[in-house]
Amino acid sequence: MEDYILKEIRKITMLLEALIRKTAAEPDGGYEIIRQELIRELAMDIDEVIISKDPVGILTEKGFSNEEMEALASLLMSVKGSMSMYRQGQVEILNSHIRKHFQSEGYLSLALWQ
């Protein structure tokens, strides 16, 4: 089951990266594509995850491993430059939660410290 989830997240990541390149000029366009795909594929609204008190807990409940959380954070960071200041702040807060989780787990993520 874990392999299936990882495979699906990788497929979604590849699809999102292609779509993001097409919509990079639109404000919040890349973020919105990521958000819509996560809703469609995983029944998870990233907006709700970001504003929750325990975003890492929600991601864990949805089956995200540390590697998958890192991939999501990295994907969001890749479109951060085209986001509004509000969205950029939200992504930074989410990444902060993920970094704290990684520190507590002893998981090294170079992608989130760039």
Side-chain angles (χ1 to χ4, degrees), residues 43-101:
M44 179 182 77
D45 188 340
I46 193 68
D47 284 344
E48 292 175 12
V49 173
I50 288 173
I51 64 170
S52 76
K53 291 184 181 189
D54 184 17
V56 171
I58 293 172
L59 293 173
T60 302
E61 287 174 14
K62 288 288 186 178
F64 278 67
S65 67
N66 286 344
E67 292 84 6
E68 293 158 346
M69 281 187 245
E70 180 178 28
L72 175 62
S74 183
L75 183 61
L76 289 169
M77 291 297 288
S78 73
V79 297
K80 188 176 168 191
S82 66
M83 291 181 196
S84 65
M85 294 299 284
Y86 174 73
R87 289 270 189 240
Q88 287 181 21
Q90 287 183 311
V91 167
E92 274 303 317
I93 291 169
L94 175 62
N95 287 350
S96 175
H97 284 283
I98 293 172
R99 280 192 295 267
K100 287 177 187 171
H101 167 73

Side-chain angles (χ1 to χ4, degrees), residues 11-68:
K11 281 184 0 186
I12 292 167
T13 300
M14 289 172 32
L15 172 67
L16 291 175
E17 287 172 347
L19 290 171
I20 288 164
R21 282 190 287 276
K22 292 180 183 179
T23 61
E26 299 175 31
D28 287 343
Y31 176 88
E32 194 56 34
I33 288 173
I34 293 168
R35 182 177 168 271
Q36 291 301 321
E37 278 301 306
L38 289 172
I39 289 170
R40 189 170 66 84
E41 295 291 332
L42 301 175
M44 179 182 77
D45 188 340
I46 193 68
D47 284 344
E48 292 175 12
V49 173
I50 288 173
I51 64 170
S52 76
K53 291 184 181 189
D54 184 17
V56 171
I58 293 172
L59 293 173
T60 302
E61 287 174 14
K62 288 288 186 178
F64 278 67
S65 67
N66 286 344
E67 292 84 6
E68 293 158 346

